[in-house]
Structures are given as structure tokens and as C-alpha cells.
Amino acid sequence: MRAHGLGTQRCLADYFRLRGPRVGRGLAQLEAREEAEQVRVPGWTDRPVWRQVGARVPRTVPGAALLSPFDPLVWQRDRTEALWGMRYRLEIYVPAPQRVHGYYVLPFLLDEELVARVDLKADRAAGRLLVRALHWETGVDRARAQPALEEELASMADWLGLTRIDLADR
């Protein structure tokens, strides 16, 4: 719970890849020992949410990252949608004409918001990171987000040993 911050029973179970009644029993034990407490979270009024007793709520969490579709922050898709309003799906198994955001889309986290989705492809033969599609979330301050995204793309290209970043012709 400390690592995850807060979550529903399903969120917490999924984080640790647990199933079955032991999750509910574990939460009840944490509550009985006053190590966990139920809290109200806007948007999650239809189900209980727990957090660690005494957990500090930071004023801000600065940073930027391109998130893998398998990052714990977005793995449990219902949680992602409830916290950030982003309905995120990995579309690698969706037929190309039916994809909404791209083949292998990475959410872009800026400070405390998921601000964009970026469909990337490493073209190693040409030494380039290809941005096949970029989708900004509604209401994003692009003047602030764009430089941060460009910095993250440059970092990823460097990490992959690629020398260029190219926007796809779409």
C-alpha cells in the first residue's frame, strides 16, 4: 500500500498480482492494526478506497516520463481512468484500421498528469526514433508540455542508441 499510494481492493490486488479472498482479509487486518484506512476519492464513490494511515499527500510530484504500457502506474486500466480520466488501451492486437491511438502507445506523464499518448517505433537501421502518432489529452498546456516531451524523446533515443527523432508523415 505504501508503494501504491491508495487504491481499491482490485487496484491493490493487481499491483501485487494477487487474487482471491486473501486480499480482502489482508485489508481487513491492516485496518484492524490501524495501518490502513478507507478514504473518499472523487470519482471513486462507488467503491471503497484504502490508503496507508498517516500517508503524506505531497503538494506536487514533479517529473516527466514516457511510460511503458506495463508500468505499474497504468497497468490497472480502471485505476488509470479513475485517477486521470485517460482510457488507456494497448492496441497491438487491434487491427490497424480500428486503432485509435496507434500500435504501441506510451502515455506521457508530466508532473502529476497524463498529458499525451505517443506511438513510437525504433528504426534501428536508419538510426531514428519514429514518432508515428502524438495525441495530446484535452486541456493540456502544450507550450509547457511540448519541451518536456521533446526532452524525454531525446533521452529515449539516446538510450536506444538512435541519432534522430522523426515525426511520421501522417
Side-chain angles (χ1 to χ4, degrees), residues 84-105:
W84 288 281
M86 177 186 273
R87 184 171 167 76
Y88 174 63
R89 301 293 180 261
L90 186 59
E91 299 181 19
I92 60 176
Y93 301 112
V94 175
Q98 296 172 14
R99 291 184 191 134
V100 176
H101 295 102
Y103 178 76
Y104 196 83
V105 175

Side-chain angles (χ1 to χ4, degrees), residues 22-160:
R22 65 182 169 172
V23 178
R25 287 193 309 263
L27 284 168
Q29 290 171 354
L30 289 171
E31 280 187 283
R33 293 193 314 246
E34 297 183 355
E35 295 178 32
E37 63 185 346
Q38 286 192 33
V39 295
R40 294 187 64 87
V41 177
W44 281 1
T45 55
D46 63 331
R47 53 198 143 166
V49 177
W50 286 266
R51 73 171 182 172
Q52 179 184 4
V53 170
R56 290 183 1 182
V57 178
R59 289 182 181 216
T60 61
V61 180
L66 287 163
L67 303 175
S68 158
F70 308 106
D71 189 289
L73 193 69
V74 296
W75 178 253
Q76 214 288 324
R77 306 303 195 230
D78 290 339
R79 176 184 170 83
T80 304
E81 190 168 355
L83 287 174
W84 288 281
M86 177 186 273
R87 184 171 167 76
Y88 174 63
R89 301 293 180 261
L90 186 59
E91 299 181 19
I92 60 176
Y93 301 112
V94 175
Q98 296 172 14
R99 291 184 191 134
V100 176
H101 295 102
Y103 178 76
Y104 196 83
V105 175
L106 306 181
F108 178 55
L109 175 70
L110 180 59
D111 298 334
E112 299 172 341
E113 298 177 65
L114 293 175
V115 299
R117 305 162 200 243
V118 188
D119 185 20
L120 300 176
K121 180 176 177 66
D123 181 352
R124 295 184 188 281
R128 67 186 184 146
L129 180 62
L130 181 61
V131 179
R132 296 171 12 153
L134 169 59
H135 303 273
W136 293 104
E137 296 300 302
T138 304
V140 169
D141 178 0
R142 291 187 195 181
R144 182 177 80 86
Q146 184 75 37
L149 176 58
E150 289 172 4
E151 188 174 320
E152 286 303 303
L153 290 170
S155 176
M156 179 175 274
D158 183 58
W159 178 69
L160 293 171

